[in-house]
Amino acid sequence: MTDARANHSTSAERTDIVVIGSGFGGAITAYHLAAGGAKVVVLERGPWVPSDEFDQGFELGTSSTRIFDFVAGDGMSVLGGNGVGGGSVVDFATMPRSPGFVFERQRSIGRRMWPSVITRDTLAPWYHPVTEALPISRQSWDEIPYPGGLWAAACNHAGRTANPPNVAIDTSMCTNCNWMMSGCRFDAKRSLLLNYLPAAVSHGAQIRPLHEVQRLSKADGLYRVHYNVIDDEDYRVSTASGTIDAKIVILAAGAGATPVILQRSEADLGKMPHAVGRYFSGNGER
C-alpha cells in the first residue's frame, strides 16, 4: 500500500472526488470510484498503523489509545474508530445480514426511521460482493472461543438458541488472543487495511492520514474541503492546514464527526436539516 503520510501540502489543489473518512463508508466508496477511473483523495483524521504495530494493551500512547475516537454529546456519546481503516480496525468483525424488520422500525418518532429507499431488498445485491471482498465466513462450534461457548450454554439453559455469527476472520490465522478491539496483529481479522483500501490505492486513490477536515465551502462551482494536518501524538496540535477542491465530496466520517463537519459548514453551504447533530453538543466541538 502506497503511504501518503508524508504528503502534508498546505497549497490548494484539485481532484475529482474527496472522501472524508476511511472506514466502511469511505473505503468501499473510494475503491469503487477509483476503480471507475475517478481521481480520489481520502482524508483520514487518525494515523495509519500497520498491523505489526498494534499493541495488546491500553497504556497511554499505545496504538489502542490512538485508534479510538470518543465523542461526548448531550444525550448521546459515540466511541468509534480513529485511523486508516476506521471502525474495521477496532470492531469484532461480526458481519450479520440485517433482517428486513430492522428497516421498518419506527420507535418513538412515529414513522420509519430509515429512508424509504433503503430496505433489505435494495441492500441484498450488495451483500454478496462485500462477502467476497472481506471475505466472510461462519465459524463452526469447534472454532468458537471459550467465552462464546459459555454464552451458548447459558442460552441453552434458559431455553434459547445461539448461533455462531458470520465473521470477517481468517480462522486459520486467529490465535484467540482476545485483543481484536485494539487491532489485529496477526492479520486474521479482515479489516479494510487488507482489502478495500489497498485495492483503492492500486487504482490510484491517495490516502492521507492525520488530515482532520474542519468544514466544507464552495469555490468556483466546486466543493472546497478545509483541513488541518494534526500531530501524530497530540491530536490537539495542528502542524499545517490546507484546502482541496473537488467536484464531489463523500462525507463518511462516522456518527461523531460527520454532523460536526456539516454544522461547521452551515455558513457556506446553508442551513442543515434539523436532525443533523441534534443529539450532540451544539458547540461544534469534537
Side-chain angles (χ1 to χ4, degrees), residues 101-117:
F101 71 83
V102 169
F103 303 99
E104 303 304 324
R105 287 175 174 166
Q106 295 189 359
R107 296 291 177 91
S108 60
I109 64 175
R111 57 180 173 81
R112 195 173 184 270
M113 299 173 66
W114 287 87
S116 59
V117 295

Side-chain angles (χ1 to χ4, degrees), residues 240-258:
S241 62
T243 61
I244 180 170
D245 295 344
K247 302 172 186 177
I248 298 173
V249 174
I250 307 296
L251 188 46
T258 293

Side-chain angles (χ1 to χ4, degrees), residues 57-139:
F58 293 110
E59 294 83 3
L60 187 64
T62 62
S63 64
S64 298
T65 62
R66 299 167 60 215
I67 58 178
F68 283 101
D69 187 31
F70 183 71
V71 180
D74 277 341
M76 180 178 176
S77 297
V78 177
L79 178 65
N82 180 63
V84 175
S88 75
V89 176
V90 298
D91 69 5
F92 290 94
T94 305
M95 300 288 168
R97 297 193 178 194
S98 299
F101 71 83
V102 169
F103 303 99
E104 303 304 324
R105 287 175 174 166
Q106 295 189 359
R107 296 291 177 91
S108 60
I109 64 175
R111 57 180 173 81
R112 195 173 184 270
M113 299 173 66
W114 287 87
S116 59
V117 295
I118 299 180
T119 67
R120 179 63 171 79
D121 290 338
T122 59
L123 290 178
W126 299 99
Y127 279 114
H128 184 65
V130 172
T131 297
E132 290 186 324
L134 289 181
I136 296 172
S137 60
R138 173 167 289 187
Q139 291 175 293

Side-chain angles (χ1 to χ4, degrees), residues 1-8 22 27 41-54 63 66-68 81-86 88-89 187 191-202 204-211 230-233 235:
M1 185 180 295
T2 302
D3 193 336
R5 280 178 277 194
N7 191 343
H8 287 175
S22 61
V41 175
V42 180
L43 302 181
E44 166 60 49
R45 176 183 185 258
W48 195 333
V49 182
S51 57
D52 60 356
E53 292 183 15
F54 288 129
S63 64
R66 299 167 60 215
I67 58 178
F68 283 101
N82 180 63
V84 175
S88 75
V89 176
D187 286 340
S191 75
L192 296 168
L193 295 171
L194 303 177
N195 35 72
Y196 279 102
L197 288 172
V201 170
S202 72
Q206 295 185 37
I207 302 173
R208 302 182 185 178
L210 301 175
H211 281 59
I230 58 178
D231 184 77
D232 190 27
E233 297 294 334
Y235 298 154

